[in-house]
Amino acid sequence: KAGVTQTPRYLIKTRGQQVTLSCSPISGHRSVSWYQQTPGQGLQFLFEYFSETQRNKGNFPGRFSGRQFSNSRSEMNVSTLELGDSALYLCASTLGAAEETQYFGPGTRLLVL
Amino acid sequence: GDSVTQMEGPVTLSEEACLTINCTYTATGYPSLFWYVQYPGEGLQLLLKATKADDKGSNKGFEATYRKETTSFHLEKGSVQVSDSAVYFCALSPGANSKLTFGKGITLSVRP
C-alpha cells in the first residue's frame, strides 16, 4: 500500500505570495493532519480534517488554512507569506475515527525569501 | 496542557554501544505514547508505540515501556548501528482524533 504523498517536495516563494501544498493520504485513511517543523519551534500542529470537516486547529494565524476533498486528499494554503513561514510542512494520515496512529509523508520544504 | 520532555542532545555513540533516550510526559488521562524517527531529508517514521500503562513497544531492536508511575517512555536499544543515526522524537496523543504533541527531538550519531 502506498504511503502518504506530498507535493511539491520543495518550494521557493517570496514574501507576500501565497502557496498551496497538497497531501494524499494512505488509501482508505480518512483523517489528515498537518504539522509545521522548524528548528526553533520544533513540530507544531496546524489542523486536522476528517470527512471534509476541520475537527482540530492549532494556534496559527488565519493566514494558514486548509481543506479536505471527498477522496480524503487535503490541501493547505498559506497566504501573505512571511520569512518565518519557512519550514518543513508535514502531512499525516490516520485510518479513521477510533485510530490514533498517524503516518507521515516526506514533507514539503518551503523557503520564503 | 500536554507536554513532552526529551533529554538534551545531541548524542554520539560508537557502533554496538547501548542507547537510552529519556522521555517524560505531562498529560491528563491516559495518553498513547509514540517514538518517531526522522532520517536526513525525510519525514517522520513511526518507530514504536504503546497505548496503555506497562505496554512495551518494540521495533527494529528498539524498545520502550509505558511507565505511568514515572510518566516516562524511555527509548532503548542494546546495540546501535551506523544506520540508526537520525533524529528521534517522543510524542503523545491524548486519544483518538487528537493531535500529537512532540518533544524537541534528539539527534543520534553513531560512529563506525
Side-chain angles (χ1 to χ4, degrees):
Chain A
K1 189 180 280 191
V4 178
T5 58
Q6 292 186 245
T7 56
R9 292 293 310 277
Y10 304 94
L11 208 48
I12 300 176
K13 292 287 187 178
T14 56
R15 280 180 300 174
Q17 287 187 310
Q18 73 164 11
V19 66
T20 300
L21 312 182
S22 180
C23 171
S24 293
I26 293 171
S27 178
H29 284 199
R30 297 171 61 194
S31 169
V32 172
S33 297
W34 289 89
Y35 294 83
Q36 181 196 64
Q37 185 179 23
T38 60
Q41 298 300 316
L43 282 151
Q44 294 184 288
F45 172 76
L46 281 155
F47 28 65
E48 184 250 349
Y49 287 87
F50 178 81
S51 292
E52 303 178 64
T53 300
Q54 186 182 90
R55 286 197 302 196
N56 289 301
K57 189 176 189 306
N59 189 26
F60 278 81
R63 300 186 296 107
F64 292 81
S65 63
R67 60 177 175 168
Q68 186 180 34
F69 302 96
S70 58
N71 62 357
S72 295
R73 190 177 70 85
S74 176
E75 290 181 346
M76 68 163 282
N77 183 275
V78 188
S79 62
T80 319
L81 284 166
E82 300 177 359
L83 295 180
D85 297 333
S86 295
L88 181 66
Y89 290 88
L90 292 164
C91 166
S93 77
T94 305
L95 182 61
E99 173 59 52
E100 56 198 351
T101 303
Q102 297 185 22
Y103 299 89
F104 284 80
T108 294
R109 187 164 297 280
L110 171 65
L111 177 61
V112 182
L113 300 176
Chain B
D2 297 341
S3 66
V4 175
T5 302
Q6 291 185 232
M7 59 184 278
E8 295 286 324
V11 172
T12 302
L13 297 173
S14 297
E15 201 165 26
E16 299 184 3
C18 294
L19 169 71
T20 299
I21 301 177
N22 291 337
C23 171
T24 57
Y25 68 91
T26 301
T28 55
Y30 302 91
S32 292
L33 303 173
F34 304 83
W35 276 101
Y36 282 88
V37 58
Q38 186 174 35
Y39 298 100
E42 298 184 12
L44 300 178
Q45 295 181 25
L46 177 66
L47 183 58
L48 53 83
K49 69 176 184 180
T51 58
K52 60 183 186 296
D54 300 325
D55 263 4
K56 177 185 283 188
S58 62
N59 185 26
K60 299 181 182 178
F62 290 91
E63 293 183 339
T65 301
Y66 190 141
R67 301 286 188 199
K68 185 160 176 57
E69 63 276 14
T70 54
T71 61
S72 65
F73 193 55
H74 304 324
L75 183 67
E76 298 176 325
K77 187 174 186 182
S79 175
V80 295
Q81 306 300 311
V82 172
S83 57
D84 293 328
S85 298
V87 181
Y88 292 80
F89 292 92
C90 185
L92 71 81
S93 171
N97 315 320
S98 299
K99 67 172 185 174
L100 284 168
T101 297
F102 288 91
K104 291 188 179 298
I106 185 169
T107 300
L108 169 66
S109 298
V110 180
R111 302 182 301 237

